[in-house]
Amino acid sequence: MGHLDHAAFGWLTPVLSYAMACIGAALGLRCTVRALDATGRSRRNWLLTAASAIGTGIWTMHFVAMLGFGVTGTDIRYNVPLTILSLVIAMAVVGVGVFAVGYGRERGRSLLIGGLTTGIGVASMHYMGMAALRLHGKVTYDPVLVALSVAIAVVAATAALWAALNIHAPAAVALASLVMGVAVSSMHYTGMFAVEVVVEPSSARLPGATAMQFIFPLAVGLGSYLFITSAFVALSPTAKERAAYASAELLAEPDERAVDVAPPGFRAAGRVPAAGRPQTAASGTSYAPSAGATPSYAYPAGPVDAGPPGP
């Protein structure tokens, strides 16, 4: 039986993987909170971001931890298609759970369905990633520890979704994310302690890619995605902030109903000439009488017909 090393680089990989789990959980929780305050297409987009964040964070946590995994007596390679499939499974199944909570009418039932689905998705990602291992030997699992790791994943996912439904304060979300990071890391290392490897020495070349050839660049890329998305979510206004901005803009805008929309000349028609006399015929302009005033009439410009001359 080969000796398994879960921390070949010391505390570097466990601490870094825990940080990735916390960042993914925090981002997923914040996006879920934003989704619950939104409607229509905006809610859908926030839930998609939450699913990608949680799935990416868990996947990155797993494979960053796997960078420190080694077995005495054999090299380790990773099957590239299976590794990518594990990432797709993580995001897809987590997405089903997140959408169940985001659109569910009964919170209790939605929470149970979402937590169970998301937990199974996390566990599926973990063991699909382990199935991508290529080494000289045979890998077996302790069924009790496997069942325990799945139970931890389900409980952790349910707790995360409960926090998204009930905890909205940023400080509380940060604390919940730290707890979630512990839960996800515990699930991972419980599953890893379930692994047993019987090494079969061989000089044959192992198929697949090494961790540094494939896992490390992909983990760095996904970690960068988490950081950039976190910055975007932190800087984007919440629903309450947008409502406050809209209210402020409405207060700042002039009331169009108070603007004088009288047609041109209306005010002039309501004035009486200064001397109280009708406008002279020379100007050709008439004025409408004010209330109570004797109507005056204007005469067209030009010669005035005075009638026939007197005798």
Side-chain angles (χ1 to χ4, degrees), residues 54-244:
I54 295 174
T56 299
I58 294 172
W59 188 95
T60 305
M61 177 271 151
H62 171 81
F63 281 100
V64 166
M66 292 301 292
L67 291 175
F69 177 72
V71 181
T72 304
T74 179
D75 293 330
I76 294 178
R77 298 289 188 273
Y78 292 89
N79 180 283
V80 174
L82 280 179
T83 303
I84 295 177
L85 180 60
S86 68
L87 173 61
V88 175
I89 287 176
M91 291 191 293
V93 182
V94 169
V96 172
V98 170
F99 271 79
V101 171
Y103 286 99
R105 295 183 179 180
E106 298 180 7
R107 282 200 169 188
R109 183 179 179 182
S110 300
L111 183 60
L112 291 177
I113 294 175
L116 181 63
T117 305
T118 304
I120 291 176
V122 171
S124 300
M125 179 280 305
H126 174 87
Y127 289 105
M128 180 68 71
M130 293 300 297
L133 281 177
R134 297 292 180 265
L135 49 76
H136 294 302
K138 183 179 180 181
V139 179
T140 59
Y141 295 91
D142 183 338
V144 175
L145 289 178
V146 170
L148 179 60
S149 68
V150 174
I152 293 174
V154 171
V155 172
T158 304
L161 295 176
W162 177 89
L165 289 172
N166 297 279
I167 299 176
H168 291 180
V173 170
L175 180 60
S177 303
L178 296 177
V179 176
M180 271 298 300
V182 172
V184 172
S185 297
S186 299
M187 176 268 163
H188 170 83
Y189 284 105
T190 300
M192 293 306 297
F193 290 146
V195 176
E196 295 179 356
V197 179
V198 177
V199 177
E200 300 173 355
S202 174
S203 59
R205 180 182 177 83
L206 288 169
T210 65
M212 289 300 175
Q213 288 175 340
F214 173 64
I215 301 298
F216 180 73
L218 186 57
V220 170
L222 293 175
S224 301
Y225 162 76
L226 288 176
F227 280 107
I228 293 172
T229 308
S230 298
F232 168 77
V233 173
L235 295 175
S236 63
T238 63
K240 292 182 179 179
E241 290 173 342
R242 287 195 299 270

